[in-house]
Each structure stands twice: as C-alpha cells, then as structure tokens.
Amino acid sequence: MTRSLRKALLLWLLLPASLVLLTFLPLAYHLVHQPAMEALDQALADASLALVPHLEVIDGEPRFVFPAAAEQVLRTDRVDDIYFLVLGPNGRFVAGDMGLPHDPPDGEEAHSDRVSFNSHFRGHRIRVSAIHRTISGAPFIFITAETTRKRDQLRVDLAVALALPLLFFAGSTGLTIWFGIRHALLPVEDIRRALHGMQHQALTPLDSGSAPGEIRPLVSEFNQLLERLEQAANAQQRFVANAAHQLRTPLAGIRTQLELIQRDPDPDQRSARAAQCIGAIERLGHLINQMLVLLSAEPGGRQADLAEHIDLPELVRDRSPEWIRLAENQGLDLGFELEDCHVTGDRLLLGEMISNLVSNALIYTPPPGEVTLRCRAAGERVIIEVEDTGPGIPPEFRERVFERFFRLPTARSPGGGLGLPIVREIARGFGGQVVILTPPDGRGTLLQVSLPRHTPAA
C-alpha cells in the first residue's frame, strides 16, 4: 500500500480541525440561543406581572379592570400574536382569551409561582408564561402567551449567523492547509526532479543548504551515500584497471614463452621455458584466486546465512599443513600459540584471511627466520596475530599496503598486492579491524586482527 505524505498531513490537520468545528458549532449555538430564549421568556413573564395590578377583589368577587389602550399595548407585536388570560380560584375565568393553556405538559414543574412552557392555541404553536399570585386570600393565575414565529426566526438567524462564518473559516482553513502543505513539500519535489535528472556517470550532491531543516539530515545522509558510491565506483574502476594490468602481464609472458618454445630446437631450453610457463600459470592462478576471494569478501559477496560458529584453533589446525610445507620450503620456523577462542562468521573467508596473513609473512621473511601465529580471547574480542622476523613495513607505508595491488618499493618477492587488502576486507566483514604493529623486540612485523567474540545463545 502506497503511503502519501501529503494525504497523511491533510488527514492529521483537517480531521482535528473538522472535529473542533463540529463540536464548537452546537456549543456556540447553545451559548447564544439559550440566553436569547431566556430573555424572551423574561419579557413574557414581565407581561404577566403587568396584569396583576389590574385585578381587584370586591366583596369576594374578582374584578379585572384593563383599559383598552393598555390591552392594545400588550397585544401589539410586529411578528407574533399576543394572548392573555386571568383565572381565579378553581380555574374560574376572569378575563382574557378563554381556552388559553395554563397547565404545563407532563414532566415540567407546575408547583412554582412562575412557569414557562410550549403549547398550542388556535392552531399555532405558542410559548406560555403563567404567574401564580394570591390576592385577598384567593389564588389567581395570570397567563400571557405569544406565537413562536419570532423564536423560530431567531433560531434560523442564529444558525445562519454562526454557520456561515464557521463554514467560511473551515473552507479558508482547509485551503490554507492544502496550499501550505503543497508549498512545504515543494523542496521534496525539487529533490525528486534533481534525482530524476541525475546521471549515473555524474552523481551530483544535492543542495542541503536549501532543504528544510526536517529533511536536511536526510539530504546530508544521501549526499554521503553518493560520496561512498562514487568512492566505491572509483575503487572498482581502479581495481578493474589494475586487475587487467596484473592479468595482462603474466599472460603476455606465457604467450611469449610458448612462442619461443615453438621456435627453439634445444630440448633443454624448451623444458626451461615450459617450467617458466608453468610457474607463470601458477602465479596467475594464485592472483585470480585472490581476486575471487576479495570479491567474496566485499559486502554482498557471500550470503549472510553462511555464518557459523567457528572454533579458531581447530580452523588453524585444518589449514596448517599447507603453511608448514611452505615454511619448510622457505627454510623458516613456523610456530603456533593457540588459545581456546571462538568467533561467528563465514568459515571459508576466515580461513582465507588467516592464510593470507601467514603466507605473506612466510613469503617476505628471509631464511633463517621465524613466523608465529597466535590467537586468544581478550574480553569481548578475539585477537589473531602473525609476527615475523622479516624486514618489516615502514610506518609511512603501513596504511598504503592495504590498498589493492600496492607493493612496497623494496619488495623482492613475487606477489599481486592483494593479500593485505583481502585481510582488511574480511576483517571488516566480521565487524573487526586489522592494524600493523612493531613487535616488542623492534624487529620484523606484527599484524594484529581484532574480531568480535562468539557469544553462545541463551
């Protein structure tokens, strides 16, 4: 399911705003409508109170004296019809509009001296206000009522007066949020266009200075990724060029020797040249094998599920016969100092890493010399060391020897310059590192590899 940042922002901004408006509208209507209705009820109650002074009880008989001018003033209203009624004891009619409701419907209080309620009279909805008074010891009810046209119109006017500004505010807010989000996301669109127009031959970094603060770290990380990709591409190009050169040289030599063999009538010379061809092919095979190992050691070169628990001394013992034969051929003393330690990783690559360390030391150490392979656990790390009594590596070259196809200017032994780059690449794949040190006696070279220690599962 495709996620849209614009839709998510609109949802999170418009939904709360809509809920606020939907909640505020009825609340505002109630806060304005209720006082207005109470004011109208109070005016109606005041009209009922105005009837009280016009009632007299003479000789036990109620007498309601209400001048025509006063009645005209009471009934005058531009919108509603006004009615009144005066009732004596036991609901006896005294004056006014006979039949006007005076009892509130069920559920409303009737025992109070003042009550307001809705009812119907002469086919119209009315609002009634009834006042209870005791005059000369007798109970009387003074009732005024009016139709609800004014109240209904007030409800409509209030709803329109509240809804129109709120609808305008909601629409303007929605448009503001829409255009605001669209404007805020323009830098993202600019980045998309920049990436769309970028060619793989020229990876141009994005302009992080013009990016908003929220996505500036993302742009910076992307630029760093581009820089790493460019470095990797340059390294790959250099590797291909160097590999082509390294392969072309022995192939050209083998071809020359084979051509000479064809033309040389001397059997001894032909045998010597054939031996040279065999040696060149062996060196070429070794170089190709190293290049394949280096390719496997790079990220993504081998599958991650090949990792396993490795007993390091056992691995060394399995690979040691080939090193012992090489040491005997070179006239060197090869020693082992192995302590119990374990790592997790690719068994083949770890064996190639140790083999490159030992083989390099055996090749570059002149006889009679010593090469010692050690492994031990140190806290959460495993240390692998190869120490030799050879000529050593000058400090100024200790970083460059890890470059592919780089060889020391003083190197006399044959090699392709891939041994130590393979060691560093494999060590990095294991989450470790490799450093070149000077042995305690100050003679030779000490290569030290630090790898994470294997932690048994709980």
Side-chain angles (χ1 to χ4, degrees), residues 92 195 300 432-433:
R92 177 183 175 186
L195 293 177
Q433 58 184 1

Side-chain angles (χ1 to χ4, degrees), residues 297 424-432:
R424 170 173 280 188
E425 202 67 43
I426 295 176
R428 286 176 176 174
F430 274 75

Side-chain angles (χ1 to χ4, degrees), residues 234-415:
N234 293 336
Q236 194 72 19
Q237 290 176 357
R238 290 194 302 269
F239 176 77
V240 172
N242 291 330
H245 173 73
Q246 295 291 332
L247 293 174
R248 190 182 299 115
T249 302
L251 287 174
I254 294 172
R255 178 178 178 178
T256 301
Q257 294 296 334
L258 291 175
E259 290 175 349
L260 293 174
I261 289 175
Q262 288 180 335
R263 297 194 299 265
D264 197 336
D266 187 352
D268 294 335
Q269 288 292 331
R270 293 174 65 180
S271 298
R273 295 187 190 281
Q276 291 178 358
C277 288
I278 293 173
I281 291 174
E282 290 177 349
R283 291 191 297 272
L284 181 62
H286 177 69
L287 177 61
I288 293 174
N289 180 67
Q290 283 190 313
M291 292 171 62
L292 293 175
V293 172
L294 183 59
L295 186 63
S296 299
E298 291 180 344
R302 281 175 67 85
Q303 298 178 2
D305 56 6
L306 294 177
E308 58 179 303
H309 168 222
I310 303 172
D311 185 332
L312 205 52
E314 178 186 353
L315 176 62
V316 170
R317 285 190 287 268
D318 291 342
R319 302 292 293 266
S320 61
E322 58 182 285
W323 307 331
I324 295 174
R325 286 193 299 270
L326 180 59
E328 291 175 349
N329 294 334
Q330 297 286 106
L332 301 173
D333 180 13
L334 175 61
F336 300 91
E337 298 176 7
L338 308 177
E339 299 180 10
D340 183 52
C341 52
H342 304 264
V343 297
T344 302
D346 190 314
R347 186 180 187 87
L348 175 61
L349 291 181
L350 184 60
E352 290 293 333
M353 183 190 75
I354 300 175
S355 180
N356 274 277
L357 286 172
V358 177
S359 298
N360 266 14
L362 293 174
I363 291 173
Y364 291 101
T365 300
E370 297 179 359
V371 175
T372 304
L373 171 61
R374 307 184 185 95
C375 67
R376 67 179 186 277
E380 298 299 320
R381 310 292 290 182
V382 168
I383 306 299
I384 303 172
E385 293 180 342
V386 175
E387 180 180 347
D388 63 60
T389 58
I393 300 175
E396 62 269 23
F397 292 110
R398 289 186 178 179
E399 190 61 31
R400 293 204 60 193
V401 293
F402 291 105
E403 298 178 7
R404 299 174 182 183
F405 301 109
F406 175 81
R407 301 192 67 212
L408 290 173
T410 58
R412 295 292 180 265
S413 301

